[in-house]
Amino acid sequence: SVGINMNLAPVVDVDSNPWNPIIGDRSFSEDPKIVSSCGELILKGYQQAGIIGVLKHFPGHGDTALDSHLDLPIVSKSRDELEKIELAPFRKLAPMADAIMTAHILMPALDPERCSTVSKKTLKFLREELGFQGIILSDSLVMGGILNACGTVEEAAIQAIDAGCDLLILGG
């Protein structure tokens, strides 16, 4: 039988906050254009090699002060600010991507109440406004950011599927 190869990369978060405890050198750059260009090259290389690439962490984890493995970060920027930085790589790359992983963050400009992974509004934005038609993966449901928002892994799983995630990840 033939297997399916998937790599949970590339990270297309823009490293716009030097105090971000988790993204840092996982990002290609602090410039959204460089992040987009590098992400596009990686995606094309994966596709040529028959590998499903996964853009992450939607809608953008680069300007957070908290590690979502531990707590729920909040990105309190206007929609215009998000479009210029955080959303720019996703806007460019979503139509050519096979899969996108969510971030466990609260981004009030997209949904003031719900963590992105469990937000129907945020995932609808990804599908309808960014034109993404591929697989939406959650980040790991055992991370503090999602558990602080949902209480339990079981509740996080139910809410993520209900919001529009197609595939759930469990584990570190």
Side-chain angles (χ1 to χ4, degrees):
S1 71
V2 176
I4 297 174
N5 294 309
M6 177 182 277
N7 191 3
L8 302 180
V11 171
V12 294
D13 299 310
V14 179
D15 189 23
S16 58
N17 181 345
W19 299 279
N20 186 317
I22 193 64
I23 298 303
D25 62 6
R26 296 171 70 195
S27 172
F28 293 114
S29 176
E30 66 281 347
D31 181 335
K33 290 180 182 174
I34 293 172
V35 170
S36 297
S37 295
C38 292
E40 182 175 2
L41 291 171
I42 299 258
L43 278 182
K44 285 179 179 179
Y46 286 160
Q47 288 167 349
Q48 288 174 4
I51 298 169
I52 296 171
V54 180
L55 299 178
K56 61 184 190 179
H57 303 88
F58 181 79
H61 203 319
D63 191 8
T64 61
L66 297 173
D67 179 349
S68 58
H69 291 90
L70 306 173
D71 207 346
L72 182 64
I74 300 172
V75 178
S76 297
K77 291 183 173 182
S78 71
R79 175 73 180 273
D80 287 341
E81 291 172 310
L82 294 173
E83 287 289 346
K84 291 176 187 170
I85 299 176
E86 284 77 12
L87 294 172
F90 292 101
R91 185 169 290 285
K92 179 176 181 181
L93 301 173
M96 66 182 75
D98 295 312
I100 293 179
M101 180 186 287
T102 63
H104 303 321
I105 59 173
L106 183 65
M107 199 170 273
L110 296 179
D111 187 335
E113 299 174 3
R114 304 194 44 91
C115 165
S116 295
T117 300
V118 296
S119 168
K120 288 180 185 180
K121 290 178 184 178
T122 301
L123 300 186
K124 181 178 179 180
F125 172 85
L126 175 60
R127 293 275 190 216
E128 294 181 5
E129 290 201 38
L130 299 188
F132 180 65
Q133 299 304 312
I135 300 165
I136 298 176
L137 289 82
S138 73
D139 205 339
S140 174
L141 297 182
V142 299
M143 294 168 59
I146 190 78
L147 292 176
N148 290 348
C150 296
T152 66
V153 171
E154 295 82 3
E155 186 59 30
I158 291 166
Q159 290 185 32
I161 293 289
D162 187 50
C165 285
D166 302 303
L167 184 62
L168 306 179
I169 296 177
L170 295 172

